[in-house]
Amino acid sequence: MSKTILNLVIPCYNEEEALPLTKKELDKKMKELIDKKLISENSKVVFVNDGSKDKTWEIIEKIHSENKMYVGINLSRNRGHQNALLAGLMYAKDNSDISISMDADLQDDINVMDDMIKKYNEGADIVYGVRSSRKKDTIFKKITAESFYKLMKCMGVEVVFNHADCRLMSKRALIGLSEYKEVNLFLRGIVPQIGYKTDIAYYERNERVAGKSKYPLKKMLSFATDGITSFSVKPLKMITSIGFLILLISFIAMIYSIIIKIMGNSVSNFNFIICSIWMIGGIQILCLGVIGEYIGKIYNETKARPRYIIDKILD
Ligand code: UDP
Ligand code: MG
């Protein structure tokens, strides 16, 4: 029998349609992993209910009462995917040797777990699940998601391309993660900073088993902004460059006007002046907005509010 205790962490928000199907698949998969001697019989599946408004928590309670392999954590209210995942991972830190995180909709192929555990046994502390293709994603999702990774890279944020939050972390990697106290959570950016030996396991991304995506465009955009402003000061540096460029251009324009004036020509152009005033105004507001983004972050961090509050644990 393997001694490695696994905690499979699954955040759930309004997943009443997907959960029963997911549970059925997990029953089979966990049994298979135990039979293959990859994980211990004391391994658990940890469902974190992120303040769902539907019957998700009732379903988790029922699953737990029928089978003690399933643990339920109920957050006091909706805190978002990243915080819900963290709550589950911090539980796993104290109760397991390795954790694997996945979505409740089984879009990440659960069969990637074998490969992940194998790589852990070969010495990796963090194994990133990476999508080998996006054949089953809609064109819109494919384009937005891939531009997201490219933008991150161009902004100097270290992320693993096409890796979402499906990953294996060892106990000591989780202890490392618990040292990061930030409130603006962007786990994909934090985890690569922990270090240790890492590896990659590839899988095909499937369609959702049931229900709708909980990440509409608005949430995706705010997630991307959070990712950039939490990990990169490049936008701040870009402001300096823009300011310098404008200064240079206006300086050249001034010299040019003076020369024209000296040569006896008239240089007044009302439209041109109005346009440039508006342009400068726009740039200033834009720059203020970027600075505001960072000040907002500082504001949130200084308050050091709890990232989640647990209402109840069933284990
Ligand atoms: N989720 C969550 N809290 C939220 C939004 C989403 O816990 O506020 C969970 C959701 O239940 C799912 C995972 O995060 O298990 C990923 O969400 P989803 O599958 O809807 O995102 P997508 O795969 O469409 O990007
Ligand atoms: Mg999904």
Side-chain angles (χ1 to χ4, degrees):
M1 201 187 91
S2 168
K3 282 205 180 68
T4 312
I5 298 178
L6 165 72
N7 273 188
L8 180 60
V9 178
I10 302 187
C12 311
Y13 177 60
N14 293 349
E15 297 284 6
E16 62 179 9
E17 287 156 277
L19 262 188
L21 298 165
T22 303
K23 189 238 168 206
K24 223 161 101 197
E25 293 298 314
L26 290 179
D27 275 345
K28 275 188 271 171
K29 189 69 208 175
M30 292 298 280
K31 188 172 176 304
E32 184 196 316
L33 290 174
I34 294 168
D35 289 345
K36 279 190 184 165
K37 299 190 172 35
L38 283 172
I39 58 171
S40 143
E41 287 167 337
N42 298 322
S43 297
K44 304 267 185 229
V45 176
V46 183
F47 286 125
V48 184
N49 176 39
D50 185 19
S52 300
K53 294 183 179 66
D54 62 2
K55 297 246 161 4
T56 301
W57 180 243
E58 283 82 348
I59 296 173
I60 294 173
E61 279 180 319
K62 185 162 167 284
I63 293 176
H64 169 76
S65 67
E66 289 165 4
N67 184 346
K68 295 290 179 264
M69 182 178 80
Y70 292 90
V71 172
I73 298 179
N74 192 32
L75 299 192
S76 59
R77 51 164 290 220
N78 180 250
R79 297 293 298 139
H81 174 211
Q82 299 288 295
N83 291 308
L85 185 54
L86 182 75
L89 291 176
M90 290 303 105
Y91 174 88
K93 167 176 77 83
D94 302 325
N95 295 285
S96 67
D97 302 307
I98 52 172
S99 75
I100 295 180
S101 46
M102 271 195 192
D103 289 357
D105 53 15
L106 294 192
Q107 280 194 292
D108 310 308
D109 182 8
I110 48 175
N111 295 313
V112 76
M113 292 205 282
D114 301 62
D115 197 21
M116 285 180 154
I117 298 167
K118 229 175 271 160
K119 286 181 167 154
Y120 163 76
N121 288 332
E122 284 162 17
D125 273 278
I126 299 170
V127 183
Y128 298 105
V130 170
R131 284 163 213 174
S132 50
S133 77
R134 284 183 177 270
K135 270 185 238 140
K136 292 191 180 135
D137 272 351
T138 59
I139 303 244
F140 176 73
K141 182 86 192 178
K142 186 176 148 81
I143 293 175
T144 47
E146 292 197 337
S147 346
F148 168 77
Y149 291 105
K150 285 185 188 135
L151 180 69
M152 286 288 157
K153 200 162 170 217
C154 154
M155 283 291 164
V157 187
E158 194 189 328
V159 286
V160 180
F161 193 73
N162 265 344
H163 156 70
D165 281 304
C166 168
R167 72 177 82 80
L168 177 147
M169 291 178 81
S170 69
K171 196 183 189 83
R172 64 175 188 158
L174 288 176
I175 292 173
L177 177 65
S178 70
E179 298 291 324
Y180 288 77
K181 303 290 183 204
E182 56 213 83
V183 178
N184 295 285
L185 260 195
F186 184 70
L187 291 169
R188 271 171 242 189
I190 300 174
V191 174
Q193 297 198 346
I194 297 173
Y196 297 130
K197 186 171 181 290
T198 64
D199 212 328
I200 286 176
Y202 291 95
Y203 66 92
E204 289 266 345
R205 173 117 160 139
N206 298 314
E207 281 161 55
R208 231 176 197 281
V209 287
K212 278 203 293 279
S213 171
K214 274 77 195 172
Y215 263 102
L217 184 65
K218 198 173 145 220
K219 256 195 199 172
M220 251 172 1
L221 286 178
S222 102
F223 188 56
T225 320
D226 253 1
I228 295 169
T229 50
S230 297
F231 283 90
S232 156
V233 286
K234 231 177 178 166
L236 285 178
K237 291 192 180 142
M238 274 158 59
I239 293 179
T240 321
S241 316
I242 293 172
F244 182 72
L245 197 73
I246 290 174
L247 192 72
L248 193 74
I249 293 172
S250 50
F251 187 68
I252 294 170
M254 198 175 75
I255 303 270
Y256 176 75
S257 322
I258 293 172
I259 294 173
I260 300 257
K261 192 98 184 159
I262 291 171
M263 287 164 74
N265 296 322
S266 123
V267 277
S268 99
N269 187 334
F270 187 67
N271 280 354
F272 175 73
I273 294 171
I274 290 293
C275 283
S276 53
I277 290 173
W278 278 84
M279 208 178 87
I280 295 288
I283 292 171
Q284 278 177 335
I285 294 169
L286 182 85
C287 294
L288 278 180
V290 177
I291 295 171
E293 227 359 272
Y294 283 93
I295 294 181
K297 290 255 138 68
I298 298 169
Y299 169 73
N300 277 330
E301 296 295 347
T302 48
K303 277 187 297 199
R305 285 178 175 163
R307 293 171 291 185
Y308 55 83
I309 295 171
I310 290 172
D311 163 45
K312 198 192 259 175
I313 296 184
L314 302 173
D315 69 350

PDB file of all heavy atoms in Angstrom, residues 42 72 84 93 112 126 130 136 140 153 161 179 183 186 203 226-227 238 260 274-275 292:
ATOM      1  N   ASN A  42      -6.174   6.503   2.788  1.00  0.00           N
ATOM      2  CA  ASN A  42      -6.672   7.630   3.583  1.00  0.00           C
ATOM      3  C   ASN A  42      -6.769   8.926   2.785  1.00  0.00           C
ATOM      4  O   ASN A  42      -6.951  10.003   3.345  1.00  0.00           O
ATOM      5  CB  ASN A  42      -5.762   7.854   4.791  1.00  0.00           C
ATOM      6  CG  ASN A  42      -5.751   6.651   5.701  1.00  0.00           C
ATOM      7  OD1 ASN A  42      -6.790   6.015   5.890  1.00  0.00           O
ATOM      8  ND2 ASN A  42      -4.579   6.303   6.225  1.00  0.00           N
ATOM      9  N   GLY A  72     -15.992  18.218   3.074  1.00  0.00           N
ATOM     10  CA  GLY A  72     -16.621  19.453   2.593  1.00  0.00           C
ATOM     11  C   GLY A  72     -16.149  20.649   3.399  1.00  0.00           C
ATOM     12  O   GLY A  72     -16.042  20.570   4.617  1.00  0.00           O
ATOM     13  N   ALA A  84     -11.166  30.370  -2.832  1.00  0.00           N
ATOM     14  CA  ALA A  84     -11.770  29.080  -2.481  1.00  0.00           C
ATOM     15  C   ALA A  84     -10.717  27.981  -2.624  1.00  0.00           C
ATOM     16  O   ALA A  84     -10.577  27.102  -1.763  1.00  0.00           O
ATOM     17  CB  ALA A  84     -12.969  28.802  -3.384  1.00  0.00           C
ATOM     18  N   LYS A  93      -2.676  21.179   3.181  1.00  0.00           N
ATOM     19  CA  LYS A  93      -1.330  21.354   3.749  1.00  0.00           C
ATOM     20  C   LYS A  93      -1.226  20.632   5.096  1.00  0.00           C
ATOM     21  O   LYS A  93      -0.206  20.020   5.394  1.00  0.00           O
ATOM     22  CB  LYS A  93      -1.054  22.862   3.928  1.00  0.00           C
ATOM     23  CG  LYS A  93       0.165  23.194   4.778  1.00  0.00           C
ATOM     24  CD  LYS A  93       0.402  24.695   4.817  1.00  0.00           C
ATOM     25  CE  LYS A  93      -0.536  25.432   5.736  1.00  0.00           C
ATOM     26  NZ  LYS A  93      -0.177  25.465   7.156  1.00  0.00           N
ATOM     27  N   VAL A 112      -4.974  12.649 -15.741  1.00  0.00           N
ATOM     28  CA  VAL A 112      -3.634  13.252 -15.683  1.00  0.00           C
ATOM     29  C   VAL A 112      -3.023  13.035 -14.287  1.00  0.00           C
ATOM     30  O   VAL A 112      -1.824  13.153 -14.089  1.00  0.00           O
ATOM     31  CB  VAL A 112      -3.708  14.754 -16.040  1.00  0.00           C
ATOM     32  CG1 VAL A 112      -4.268  15.576 -14.883  1.00  0.00           C
ATOM     33  CG2 VAL A 112      -2.322  15.286 -16.419  1.00  0.00           C
ATOM     34  N   ILE A 126       6.320  20.302  -7.457  1.00  0.00           N
ATOM     35  CA  ILE A 126       5.164  20.925  -8.107  1.00  0.00           C
ATOM     36  C   ILE A 126       5.068  20.358  -9.521  1.00  0.00           C
ATOM     37  O   ILE A 126       6.058  20.328 -10.248  1.00  0.00           O
ATOM     38  CB  ILE A 126       5.334  22.459  -8.173  1.00  0.00           C
ATOM     39  CG1 ILE A 126       5.436  23.045  -6.754  1.00  0.00           C
ATOM     40  CG2 ILE A 126       4.168  23.104  -8.923  1.00  0.00           C
ATOM     41  CD1 ILE A 126       5.850  24.495  -6.709  1.00  0.00           C
ATOM     42  N   VAL A 130      -0.693  20.964 -17.939  1.00  0.00           N
ATOM     43  CA  VAL A 130      -0.700  21.868 -19.092  1.00  0.00           C
ATOM     44  C   VAL A 130      -1.556  21.269 -20.193  1.00  0.00           C
ATOM     45  O   VAL A 130      -1.475  20.083 -20.484  1.00  0.00           O
ATOM     46  CB  VAL A 130       0.744  22.107 -19.608  1.00  0.00           C
ATOM     47  CG1 VAL A 130       0.725  22.845 -20.931  1.00  0.00           C
ATOM     48  CG2 VAL A 130       1.541  22.887 -18.576  1.00  0.00           C
ATOM     49  N   LYS A 136     -11.340  21.547 -27.949  1.00  0.00           N
ATOM     50  CA  LYS A 136     -12.744  21.561 -27.529  1.00  0.00           C
ATOM     51  C   LYS A 136     -13.206  22.908 -27.003  1.00  0.00           C
ATOM     52  O   LYS A 136     -14.365  23.082 -26.687  1.00  0.00           O
ATOM     53  CB  LYS A 136     -12.969  20.464 -26.493  1.00  0.00           C
ATOM     54  CG  LYS A 136     -12.838  19.107 -27.148  1.00  0.00           C
ATOM     55  CD  LYS A 136     -13.297  17.980 -26.267  1.00  0.00           C
ATOM     56  CE  LYS A 136     -13.129  16.657 -26.984  1.00  0.00           C
ATOM     57  NZ  LYS A 136     -12.542  15.642 -26.136  1.00  0.00           N
ATOM     58  N   PHE A 140     -13.709  31.786 -29.194  1.00  0.00           N
ATOM     59  CA  PHE A 140     -13.609  32.962 -28.322  1.00  0.00           C
ATOM     60  C   PHE A 140     -12.745  32.668 -27.104  1.00  0.00           C
ATOM     61  O   PHE A 140     -11.826  33.418 -26.763  1.00  0.00           O
ATOM     62  CB  PHE A 140     -15.023  33.387 -27.895  1.00  0.00           C
ATOM     63  CG  PHE A 140     -15.041  34.525 -26.926  1.00  0.00           C
ATOM     64  CD1 PHE A 140     -14.742  35.806 -27.347  1.00  0.00           C
ATOM     65  CD2 PHE A 140     -15.346  34.307 -25.582  1.00  0.00           C
ATOM     66  CE1 PHE A 140     -14.746  36.858 -26.454  1.00  0.00           C
ATOM     67  CE2 PHE A 140     -15.346  35.352 -24.682  1.00  0.00           C
ATOM     68  CZ  PHE A 140     -15.057  36.637 -25.123  1.00  0.00           C
ATOM     69  N   LYS A 153       3.206  37.267 -20.360  1.00  0.00           N
ATOM     70  CA  LYS A 153       4.618  37.097 -20.655  1.00  0.00           C
ATOM     71  C   LYS A 153       5.238  38.436 -21.043  1.00  0.00           C
ATOM     72  O   LYS A 153       6.310  38.812 -20.559  1.00  0.00           O
ATOM     73  CB  LYS A 153       4.768  36.085 -21.800  1.00  0.00           C
ATOM     74  CG  LYS A 153       6.145  35.509 -21.822  1.00  0.00           C
ATOM     75  CD  LYS A 153       6.243  34.231 -22.599  1.00  0.00           C
ATOM     76  CE  LYS A 153       7.708  33.901 -22.756  1.00  0.00           C
ATOM     77  NZ  LYS A 153       8.000  33.320 -24.048  1.00  0.00           N
ATOM     78  N   PHE A 161       2.807  28.585 -19.687  1.00  0.00           N
ATOM     79  CA  PHE A 161       1.871  28.733 -20.813  1.00  0.00           C
ATOM     80  C   PHE A 161       0.834  27.611 -20.819  1.00  0.00           C
ATOM     81  O   PHE A 161       1.157  26.439 -20.674  1.00  0.00           O
ATOM     82  CB  PHE A 161       2.648  28.750 -22.139  1.00  0.00           C
ATOM     83  CG  PHE A 161       1.819  29.204 -23.304  1.00  0.00           C
ATOM     84  CD1 PHE A 161       1.465  30.535 -23.436  1.00  0.00           C
ATOM     85  CD2 PHE A 161       1.375  28.301 -24.253  1.00  0.00           C
ATOM     86  CE1 PHE A 161       0.687  30.964 -24.500  1.00  0.00           C
ATOM     87  CE2 PHE A 161       0.597  28.722 -25.326  1.00  0.00           C
ATOM     88  CZ  PHE A 161       0.252  30.057 -25.451  1.00  0.00           C
ATOM     89  N   GLU A 179       3.286  30.917   3.052  1.00  0.00           N
ATOM     90  CA  GLU A 179       4.102  32.073   3.461  1.00  0.00           C
ATOM     91  C   GLU A 179       3.729  33.338   2.677  1.00  0.00           C
ATOM     92  O   GLU A 179       4.099  34.436   3.048  1.00  0.00           O
ATOM     93  CB  GLU A 179       5.593  31.793   3.244  1.00  0.00           C
ATOM     94  CG  GLU A 179       6.147  30.627   4.050  1.00  0.00           C
ATOM     95  CD  GLU A 179       6.188  30.925   5.539  1.00  0.00           C
ATOM     96  OE1 GLU A 179       6.459  32.078   5.889  1.00  0.00           O
ATOM     97  OE2 GLU A 179       5.917  30.003   6.327  1.00  0.00           O
ATOM     98  N   VAL A 183      -3.314  39.498  -0.446  1.00  0.00           N
ATOM     99  CA  VAL A 183      -4.759  39.409  -0.517  1.00  0.00           C
ATOM    100  C   VAL A 183      -5.206  39.286  -1.970  1.00  0.00           C
ATOM    101  O   VAL A 183      -6.165  38.586  -2.283  1.00  0.00           O
ATOM    102  CB  VAL A 183      -5.388  40.662   0.129  1.00  0.00           C
ATOM    103  CG1 VAL A 183      -6.899  40.626   0.023  1.00  0.00           C
ATOM    104  CG2 VAL A 183      -4.967  40.771   1.592  1.00  0.00           C
ATOM    105  N   PHE A 186      -3.251  35.522  -7.025  1.00  0.00           N
ATOM    106  CA  PHE A 186      -3.137  35.059  -8.402  1.00  0.00           C
ATOM    107  C   PHE A 186      -2.192  33.865  -8.338  1.00  0.00           C
ATOM    108  O   PHE A 186      -0.980  33.995  -8.467  1.00  0.00           O
ATOM    109  CB  PHE A 186      -2.595  36.183  -9.292  1.00  0.00           C
ATOM    110  CG  PHE A 186      -2.533  35.823 -10.738  1.00  0.00           C
ATOM    111  CD1 PHE A 186      -3.694  35.679 -11.476  1.00  0.00           C
ATOM    112  CD2 PHE A 186      -1.321  35.631 -11.367  1.00  0.00           C
ATOM    113  CE1 PHE A 186      -3.641  35.338 -12.824  1.00  0.00           C
ATOM    114  CE2 PHE A 186      -1.253  35.293 -12.715  1.00  0.00           C
ATOM    115  CZ  PHE A 186      -2.416  35.159 -13.441  1.00  0.00           C
ATOM    116  N   TYR A 203      -2.281  17.181 -20.719  1.00  0.00           N
ATOM    117  CA  TYR A 203      -3.603  16.550 -20.853  1.00  0.00           C
ATOM    118  C   TYR A 203      -4.441  17.329 -21.843  1.00  0.00           C
ATOM    119  O   TYR A 203      -4.141  18.471 -22.157  1.00  0.00           O
ATOM    120  CB  TYR A 203      -4.312  16.477 -19.495  1.00  0.00           C
ATOM    121  CG  TYR A 203      -4.669  17.835 -18.918  1.00  0.00           C
ATOM    122  CD1 TYR A 203      -5.916  18.409 -19.162  1.00  0.00           C
ATOM    123  CD2 TYR A 203      -3.767  18.537 -18.157  1.00  0.00           C
ATOM    124  CE1 TYR A 203      -6.235  19.657 -18.634  1.00  0.00           C
ATOM    125  CE2 TYR A 203      -4.088  19.787 -17.635  1.00  0.00           C
ATOM    126  CZ  TYR A 203      -5.321  20.338 -17.879  1.00  0.00           C
ATOM    127  OH  TYR A 203      -5.642  21.569 -17.376  1.00  0.00           O
ATOM    128  N   ASP A 226      -5.647  41.702 -12.394  1.00  0.00           N
ATOM    129  CA  ASP A 226      -5.089  41.323 -11.092  1.00  0.00           C
ATOM    130  C   ASP A 226      -3.741  40.654 -11.262  1.00  0.00           C
ATOM    131  O   ASP A 226      -2.788  40.938 -10.540  1.00  0.00           O
ATOM    132  CB  ASP A 226      -6.027  40.319 -10.405  1.00  0.00           C
ATOM    133  CG  ASP A 226      -6.776  40.959  -9.263  1.00  0.00           C
ATOM    134  OD1 ASP A 226      -6.578  42.169  -9.043  1.00  0.00           O
ATOM    135  OD2 ASP A 226      -7.547  40.257  -8.603  1.00  0.00           O
ATOM    136  N   GLY A 227      -3.684  39.749 -12.237  1.00  0.00           N
ATOM    137  CA  GLY A 227      -2.447  39.004 -12.495  1.00  0.00           C
ATOM    138  C   GLY A 227      -1.309  39.950 -12.835  1.00  0.00           C
ATOM    139  O   GLY A 227      -0.206  39.820 -12.302  1.00  0.00           O
ATOM    140  N   MET A 238       6.083  51.858 -17.920  1.00  0.00           N
ATOM    141  CA  MET A 238       5.607  52.318 -19.221  1.00  0.00           C
ATOM    142  C   MET A 238       5.143  53.772 -19.137  1.00  0.00           C
ATOM    143  O   MET A 238       5.314  54.546 -20.071  1.00  0.00           O
ATOM    144  CB  MET A 238       4.472  51.423 -19.715  1.00  0.00           C
ATOM    145  CG  MET A 238       4.998  50.193 -20.466  1.00  0.00           C
ATOM    146  SD  MET A 238       3.828  48.827 -20.520  1.00  0.00           S
ATOM    147  CE  MET A 238       2.447  49.557 -21.323  1.00  0.00           C
ATOM    148  N   ILE A 260      10.436  78.488 -37.029  1.00  0.00           N
ATOM    149  CA  ILE A 260       9.469  79.007 -38.020  1.00  0.00           C
ATOM    150  C   ILE A 260       9.185  80.480 -37.747  1.00  0.00           C
ATOM    151  O   ILE A 260       9.150  81.314 -38.650  1.00  0.00           O
ATOM    152  CB  ILE A 260       8.150  78.206 -37.943  1.00  0.00           C
ATOM    153  CG1 ILE A 260       8.422  76.737 -38.228  1.00  0.00           C
ATOM    154  CG2 ILE A 260       7.099  78.805 -38.838  1.00  0.00           C
ATOM    155  CD1 ILE A 260       8.048  76.236 -39.584  1.00  0.00           C
ATOM    156  N   ILE A 274      -6.160  72.382 -29.740  1.00  0.00           N
ATOM    157  CA  ILE A 274      -7.252  71.696 -29.034  1.00  0.00           C
ATOM    158  C   ILE A 274      -6.998  70.181 -28.991  1.00  0.00           C
ATOM    159  O   ILE A 274      -7.074  69.542 -27.953  1.00  0.00           O
ATOM    160  CB  ILE A 274      -8.608  71.985 -29.727  1.00  0.00           C
ATOM    161  CG1 ILE A 274      -8.994  73.451 -29.511  1.00  0.00           C
ATOM    162  CG2 ILE A 274      -9.708  71.068 -29.189  1.00  0.00           C
ATOM    163  CD1 ILE A 274      -9.313  73.818 -28.090  1.00  0.00           C
ATOM    164  N   CYS A 275      -6.634  69.651 -30.146  1.00  0.00           N
ATOM    165  CA  CYS A 275      -6.393  68.209 -30.216  1.00  0.00           C
ATOM    166  C   CYS A 275      -5.302  67.786 -29.242  1.00  0.00           C
ATOM    167  O   CYS A 275      -5.436  66.789 -28.532  1.00  0.00           O
ATOM    168  CB  CYS A 275      -5.962  67.800 -31.612  1.00  0.00           C
ATOM    169  SG  CYS A 275      -7.320  67.745 -32.743  1.00  0.00           S
ATOM    170  N   GLY A 292      -3.689  54.347  -9.991  1.00  0.00           N
ATOM    171  CA  GLY A 292      -4.797  54.019  -9.098  1.00  0.00           C
ATOM    172  C   GLY A 292      -4.929  52.526  -8.872  1.00  0.00           C
ATOM    173  O   GLY A 292      -5.200  52.064  -7.772  1.00  0.00           O
TER     174      GLY A 292
END
